[in-house]
Amino acid sequence: RGGLFGAGGRFKGGTDPIMEKFNESISFDKRMWSQDLDGSIAYSKAIVKVGIITEEEGKLLQEGLEKVRAEWSAGTFEIKPGDEDIH
């Protein structure tokens, strides 16, 4: 599994379950999913504006985040074990 800290690089092995529990915010995020997604969409626009990602990449990010928003709005978003946050 390639979680945040288990993806390779200087960290070897999987993420300690204590770190996963400490790092997760989904229990809070699920109460403020709309605001969390608003912030992520705004941030994606900001990083397009300063040239970190292309307009096309920004568009893809925003479309993906809007799909996540639609699932939360419809009550169909599935939280899976290991999900750290909404996006």
Side-chain angles (χ1 to χ4, degrees):
R1 172 172 149 198
L4 179 63
F5 297 104
R10 71 174 73 172
F11 300 104
K12 303 295 180 211
T15 308
D16 188 294
I18 293 171
M19 179 57 191
E20 286 184 7
K21 185 173 175 94
F22 175 77
N23 192 52
E24 75 85 20
S25 64
I26 196 76
S27 59
F28 298 101
D29 291 351
K30 67 183 179 183
R31 290 181 275 173
M32 47 191 292
W33 60 267
S34 183
Q35 295 84 359
D36 195 3
L37 290 166
D38 288 344
S40 294
I41 290 169
Y43 185 70
S44 71
K45 291 177 182 178
I47 61 176
V48 166
K49 187 174 183 176
V50 297
I52 294 173
I53 62 174
T54 66
E55 296 252 352
E56 182 61 27
E57 291 167 326
K59 180 180 175 195
L60 289 171
L61 274 174
Q62 292 160 30
E63 288 172 356
L65 290 165
E66 290 297 346
K67 287 178 183 177
V68 171
R69 180 189 304 279
E71 289 180 12
W72 275 99
S73 184
T76 60
F77 186 87
E78 182 182 345
I79 298 173
K80 298 177 183 166
D83 284 354
E84 295 163 356
D85 58 29
I86 293 225
H87 46 282

